[in-house]
Amino acid sequence: MQELSHYIGGAHVAGTSGRFADVMNPATGEVQAKVPLASTEEVAHAVEVAAQAQPAWAAVNPQRRARVMMKFVTLLNRDMDKLAEALSREHGKTLPDAAGDVQRGLEVVEYCIGAPHLLKGEYTDSAGPGIDMYSMRQALGVTAGITPFNFPAMIPMWMFAPAIACGNAFILKPSERDPSVPLMLAELMEEAGLPKGILQVVNGDKEAVDAILHDDVIQSIGFVGSTPIAEYIYATGCANGKRVQCFGGAKNHMIVMPDADMDQAADALVGAGYGAAGERCMAISVAVPVGDETADRLIEKLVPRIEKLKVGPYTAGKDVDYGPVVTGAAKANIERLVQTGIDQGAELVVDGRDFKLQGYEDGYFVGPHLFDRATKDMDIYKQEIFGPVLTTVRAQSYEEAIGLAMDHEYGNGTAIFTRDGDTARDFANRINVGMVGINVPIPVPLAYHTFGGWKKSVFGDLNQHGPDAFKFYTRTKTVTARWPSGIKEGGEFSIPVME
């Protein structure tokens, strides 16, 4: 039985709390490792080490910090297969999907190579008589991130890469369900030239989270996970005077207009709804065809595609479409919600309840499900299922369709499939959702734009990656300077005004 560790001060450190969590193999249901769960004291020690290392790192000029990111990109590409395999083994997603997880994190690291430009301030000469004024962006100090199981490579890099490029130290508390890749990333960062203590990985559960929330040294916290936990972390972190950004749940709608290419729409829905077993905050979980004729044509296209999906372990080859969900509890919750959909009157067009995979009967595999004729008062519509379940809600008009997405409490991502430019433009302008796709099912922005939803999908003012990340991980300081040649004798007792 492998026993994992924390990563503190440039070394793997055994846990001392005496508490451990099982790291499962989702394909077999077997325990494959144990991960230590940090105590409050262990978190405090990691923060202390980070605080000691951070000032010297902040004093390194941005170009040299960027060179660490350049080397890190090289190492990520070198170890891509190794990282993907470790990720698939603990999470369950397919190897191509796992490599994509690493790649989308890598792209944010590439953006952070531009730190020297992104950290430039502003300057005004002669703002007043003999007065110059300039601003600078400075590191916060020690920052922290609490990341989810579903993207154990991408989301940690979305957080720690810009934080570290800005001159901060970073405490990463990854999911205890798949902790190996975050530990590997910390090793690679130091191989790239990052000083010891700047990136710390502390594994844990709620005790570690609360220790981060209440630690006086930690200046900012990033979080991705469920909305109830996002609300808790945001409220508690802000109450403790921290800068906090939290990203919560989602229920992403894809509107299919009558003029859409139905084959293209069906292909998009299958990939976006069932990829990664639906365990994505940007997964399309609700299809909204406009008009019964459109709905009938869409269902006709979807059913054979869904029935042909290949479900299996990542070891079965690159043609596997999706693997198991992450835990037995997740599987049970998905099955509960499917039954709720049936009980509340939705039509189960594709029934995956009896799915069994020979040789993997104890794994957490869930067959694909497709509901039709669901309504907005049903639990399968209101709740985030986070599984391979696509729900179809028929709308009789474009206005009804857009109203469904706008009225839902979540506002992470959405999409519309249409050939009509006016409709697409109206949708993009009116929809109260943070990320919008036009004939693009999963509109995750590239690294140089920002990622973030609206409504109950986000808590905080700034998005992840892109320019917002460099704002989130720095403070602005403004300096007003006047040199002796411009100083007049005598004090001034009224508020200064420009002459």
Side-chain angles (χ1 to χ4, degrees):
M1 177 67 62
Q2 182 186 13
E3 184 175 312
L4 300 174
S5 65
H6 309 301
Y7 196 83
I8 301 172
H12 288 277
V13 177
T16 59
S17 71
R19 298 189 306 121
F20 292 86
D22 291 337
V23 179
M24 309 300 293
N25 181 334
T28 64
E30 297 173 334
V31 178
Q32 57 184 332
K34 289 186 176 294
V35 61
L37 302 176
S39 64
T40 300
E41 293 74 22
E42 287 173 291
V43 173
H45 172 63
V47 173
E48 181 183 1
V49 172
Q52 291 173 354
Q54 188 270 333
W57 174 244
V60 173
N61 71 61
Q63 191 169 0
R64 291 185 181 276
R65 296 201 298 263
R67 287 174 184 166
V68 173
M69 297 296 163
M70 291 183 200
K71 179 64 174 176
F72 184 48
V73 167
T74 300
L75 297 175
L76 288 170
N77 281 306
R78 182 196 71 186
D79 288 0
M80 181 70 72
D81 291 344
K82 181 179 176 182
L83 289 162
E85 200 279 332
L87 198 160
S88 293
R89 186 173 62 248
E90 292 182 350
H91 177 278
K93 64 176 66 177
T94 66
L95 283 172
D97 198 26
D101 188 329
V102 179
Q103 179 65 35
R104 289 307 294 261
L106 181 156
E107 290 167 3
V108 170
V109 180
E110 289 178 326
Y111 178 76
C112 293
I113 293 170
H117 170 71
L118 293 161
L119 291 171
K120 287 191 301 187
E122 299 174 317
Y123 187 93
T124 301
D125 69 306
S126 300
I131 295 175
D132 300 324
M133 190 174 295
Y134 62 94
S135 65
M136 60 183 81
R137 304 201 72 88
Q138 294 190 324
L140 301 177
V142 178
T143 59
I146 301 163
T147 58
F149 76 87
N150 59 327
F151 286 98
M154 181 184 79
I155 293 177
M157 285 191 273
W158 281 12
M159 293 184 187
F160 74 65
I164 289 170
C166 289
N168 299 289
F170 195 88
I171 308 295
L172 173 61
K173 205 301 286 183
S175 171
E176 64 274 22
R177 296 173 187 170
D178 44 13
S180 290
V181 168
L183 292 166
M184 295 165 71
L185 294 175
E187 292 176 334
L188 291 180
M189 278 293 288
E190 291 189 12
E191 185 180 346
L194 187 70
K196 298 180 188 304
I198 298 301
L199 177 57
Q200 316 267 64
V201 181
V202 180
N203 292 298
D205 54 6
K206 188 177 186 298
E207 182 175 345
V209 170
D210 286 339
I212 289 170
L213 288 171
H214 293 282
D215 192 289
D216 291 337
V217 175
I218 292 173
Q219 299 298 301
S220 75
I221 299 172
F223 170 81
V224 176
S226 69
T227 286
I229 305 301
E231 289 183 296
Y232 168 73
I233 289 175
Y234 185 73
T236 308
C238 289
N240 286 321
K242 303 184 190 306
R243 184 177 292 186
V244 188
Q245 58 173 190
C246 291
F247 299 85
K251 197 71 177 179
N252 305 320
H253 297 64
M254 183 173 128
I255 294 173
V256 182
M257 297 299 293
D259 66 340
D261 182 316
M262 216 53 61
D263 286 304
Q264 182 189 53
D267 287 339
L269 275 168
V270 170
Y274 300 98
E279 293 179 319
R280 294 171 175 160
C281 68
M282 287 294 284
I284 293 290
S285 53
V286 181
V288 187
V290 176
D292 285 329
E293 183 183 352
T294 305
D296 291 342
R297 287 192 292 138
L298 181 64
I299 295 294
E300 183 182 359
K301 297 285 186 181
L302 283 172
V303 169
R305 286 168 165 81
I306 295 169
E307 290 177 341
K308 290 178 183 176
L309 288 173
K310 182 176 179 180
V311 183
Y314 77 92
T315 50
K318 293 187 177 181
D319 62 337
V320 172
D321 293 305
Y322 72 84
V325 296
V326 70
T327 63
K331 178 181 178 180
N333 187 59
I334 294 163
E335 292 171 342
R336 177 187 65 81
L337 281 165
V338 168
Q339 188 59 49
T340 298
I342 296 168
D343 294 342
Q344 293 178 349
E347 180 184 342
L348 187 58
V349 180
V350 177
D351 186 351
R353 288 176 294 173
D354 294 331
F355 179 84
K356 299 290 182 185
L357 191 63
Q358 188 174 359
Y360 295 89
E361 288 81 5
D362 294 328
Y364 310 134
F365 292 95
V366 178
H369 296 75
L370 173 64
F371 279 104
D372 191 13
R373 303 182 188 277
T375 57
K376 63 181 182 180
D377 59 331
M378 295 179 178
D379 289 345
I380 57 169
Y381 176 75
K382 293 187 291 184
Q383 297 183 27
E384 184 176 33
I385 299 175
F386 228 55
V389 182
L390 180 62
T391 301
T392 305
V393 180
R394 297 181 176 220
Q396 296 308 311
S397 67
Y398 167 71
E399 289 298 328
E400 183 185 350
I402 195 172
L404 286 167
M406 294 184 73
D407 291 343
H408 204 284
E409 65 175 339
Y410 295 130
N412 209 43
T414 189
I416 187 169
F417 272 63
T418 181
R419 290 186 173 97
D420 187 272
D422 289 341
T423 302
R425 189 172 187 275
D426 180 80
F427 181 79
N429 286 333
R430 288 173 56 193
I431 196 74
N432 57 350
V433 173
M435 291 169 284
V436 181
I438 297 172
N439 298 316
V440 174
I442 304 181
V444 176
L446 293 175
Y448 41 86
H449 288 269
T450 67
F451 177 103
W454 288 13
K455 297 184 282 188
K456 282 200 171 183
S457 291
V458 68
F459 302 86
D461 297 330
L462 294 168
N463 286 343
Q464 294 191 93
H465 64 67
D468 275 16
F470 280 77
K471 295 176 184 177
F472 182 75
Y473 288 111
T474 58
R475 291 189 182 96
T476 301
K477 180 184 287 182
T478 305
V479 180
T480 303
R482 182 169 64 179
W483 296 101
S485 62
I487 297 177
K488 299 176 182 179
E489 293 183 2
E492 294 183 8
F493 297 95
S494 60
I495 188 169
V497 296
M498 187 171 65
E499 298 177 0

